[in-house]
Amino acid sequence: MARAAFAVAVVGGLNMDFKARCAQAAVPATSNPGVTSHAPGGVGRNVAEGLVRLGVRVRLCGVVGEDALGRELLAQAQAAGVDVSGVRALPGEATGTYTALLDHTGDLLYAVADMRVMDALSPALVDGWWPALAGVRWLVVDGNLPEVALTHLLRRAKAGAVPVVFEPVSVPKAARLLTALRAGCAPHTVTPNLDELGVLVGRSVENTGAAITQAAQALLALGVQQVWVRRGPLGSLLVTPGAAHVLAAVPAEVVDVTGAGDALLAAFLAAQLAGDAPEAAARFAHAVAALVVASRETVPPELAGLARLARFPTHSPGENPC
């Protein structure tokens, strides 16, 4: 198979993030003083921009509305260096939005994701994208895809021997992977948090190393090669055939947690593309994420500089370490 022009392709959500941060401890059922802002977001888009800022060539595929928010999203992604030729602007659809309420410390209280535009992402669109996806080193897919499109994409990836990383996004969306797992079309890597892992294995999972490892091994038995479980302040657990690596979170002064998980995934893949073993890549990713949560930006423009602080040899967006 010919090598694609891009090291990574991302198929997933693009949306505009609207964030409201309380100025003091939040009081329910009333108006709280605070600060509001909006910025480009979406798991797929965030991962794509993060990878580009870490020096990896990326193509982004997804759907937006043919509206002002969609145009703003595409313009920003292009300016950051992301190839957006795979993003379709759909007439009559509204671009997705993510609205988050943060407490005065920057931690998430509640969020509402309006991603109805993703319902239009069909197997036919996947087939149209496939020639550009078939030779990539990694294909990142997030849980915003409708179940039928996700299963179709994973089936094509299995047939083409393209390694897929599946990011569940949320507890309800994690369940969309189950059909593909039952059909024998497991992704190479899955990156759930503890609750999402529970959905994937059909039971609640205790936040202990032994319980997480046992649950992850159930996914390995279905063909997954890496299960990287995020545990919040406790760090993460990376489970591969024959090994389970406990990774501590790197202490950080939290300003805004939005996008931290997406930066974690981008750094994890960038490090592996540069030759790091998965465990070393995960440790680097934790160091980068700790620096990202100290920023108010979902994807800090200075991410390459932050990566250097994490002792990683980065490249300019125009270079490809792969």
Side-chain angles (χ1 to χ4, degrees), residues 166-231:
F166 176 71
E167 163 53 47
V169 177
S170 68
V171 169
K173 292 175 181 178
R176 297 176 180 177
L177 182 62
L178 295 176
T179 297
L181 289 175
R182 296 185 189 113
C185 300
H188 179 281
T189 300
V190 180
T191 59
N193 62 26
L194 197 66
D195 292 333
E196 293 159 356
L197 177 62
V199 170
L200 294 175
V201 299
R203 55 182 171 80
S204 61
V205 181
E206 293 183 19
N207 198 359
T208 66
I212 293 170
T213 300
Q214 184 181 43
Q217 287 171 341
L219 295 179
L220 297 184
L222 296 174
V224 179
Q225 296 299 305
Q226 295 182 144
V227 183
W228 190 24
V229 184
R230 287 82 178 276
R231 305 173 69 192

Side-chain angles (χ1 to χ4, degrees), residues 134-171:
V136 296
R137 296 271 299 276
W138 286 105
L139 174 57
V140 180
V141 182
D142 74 38
N144 286 303
L145 272 69
E147 185 175 315
V148 63
L150 174 62
T151 302
H152 184 69
L153 180 55
L154 287 170
R155 186 175 289 117
R156 293 214 64 163
K158 179 182 179 181
V162 177
V164 176
V165 179
F166 176 71
E167 163 53 47
V169 177
S170 68
V171 169

Side-chain angles (χ1 to χ4, degrees), residues 226 228 236 238 240 243-247 268 271-272 276-286:
Q226 295 182 144
W228 190 24
S236 67
L238 176 65
T240 59
H245 305 284
V246 178
L247 303 156
F268 180 60
Q272 289 187 79
D276 282 12
E279 180 187 3
R283 292 189 188 282
F284 163 69
H286 274 295

Side-chain angles (χ1 to χ4, degrees), residues 5-321:
F6 298 87
V8 179
V10 180
V11 182
L14 302 85
N15 54 258
M16 193 63 72
D17 285 349
F18 293 89
K19 294 187 285 187
R21 178 170 173 159
C22 297
Q24 55 199 34
V27 179
T30 190
S31 175
N32 287 267
V35 177
T36 61
S37 63
H38 79 278
V43 170
R45 194 218 67 86
N46 291 348
V47 172
E49 183 179 345
L51 282 163
V52 164
R53 295 198 182 279
L54 290 168
V56 179
R57 297 195 66 213
V58 180
R59 168 167 282 166
L60 177 61
C61 299
V63 291
V64 296
E66 200 173 64
D67 54 21
L69 289 181
R71 289 190 290 273
E72 184 177 351
L73 281 173
L74 295 182
Q76 189 279 340
Q78 283 183 306
V82 179
D83 182 282
V84 296
S85 59
V87 179
R88 301 289 178 261
L90 306 177
E93 299 286 349
T95 295
T97 59
Y98 170 83
T99 304
L101 174 62
L102 308 176
D103 69 14
H104 63 295
T105 68
D107 285 329
L108 179 66
L109 294 175
Y110 301 100
V112 176
D114 181 356
M115 300 296 292
R116 290 172 291 175
V117 67
M118 293 296 291
D119 293 340
L121 202 160
S122 64
L125 277 178
V126 169
D127 288 338
W129 290 325
W130 188 253
L133 307 181
V136 296
R137 296 271 299 276
W138 286 105
L139 174 57
V140 180
V141 182
D142 74 38
N144 286 303
L145 272 69
E147 185 175 315
V148 63
L150 174 62
T151 302
H152 184 69
L153 180 55
L154 287 170
R155 186 175 289 117
R156 293 214 64 163
K158 179 182 179 181
V162 177
V164 176
V165 179
F166 176 71
E167 163 53 47
V169 177
S170 68
V171 169
K173 292 175 181 178
R176 297 176 180 177
L177 182 62
L178 295 176
T179 297
L181 289 175
R182 296 185 189 113
C185 300
H188 179 281
T189 300
V190 180
T191 59
N193 62 26
L194 197 66
D195 292 333
E196 293 159 356
L197 177 62
V199 170
L200 294 175
V201 299
R203 55 182 171 80
S204 61
V205 181
E206 293 183 19
N207 198 359
T208 66
I212 293 170
T213 300
Q214 184 181 43
Q217 287 171 341
L219 295 179
L220 297 184
L222 296 174
V224 179
Q225 296 299 305
Q226 295 182 144
V227 183
W228 190 24
V229 184
R230 287 82 178 276
R231 305 173 69 192
L234 294 180
S236 67
L237 190 65
L238 176 65
V239 182
T240 59
H245 305 284
V246 178
L247 303 156
V250 176
E253 181 178 347
V254 176
V255 173
D256 188 340
V257 299
T258 307
D262 305 331
L264 198 73
L265 177 53
F268 180 60
L269 292 178
Q272 289 187 79
L273 286 166
D276 282 12
E279 180 187 3
R283 292 189 188 282
F284 163 69
H286 274 295
V288 171
L291 296 168
V292 169
V293 298
S295 169
R296 294 190 182 278
E297 301 283 345
T298 301
V299 182
E302 68 276 15
L303 188 57
L306 295 178
R308 282 192 290 273
L309 290 176
R311 295 183 178 86
F312 181 74
T314 56
H315 306 259
S316 69
E319 296 175 327
N320 181 9

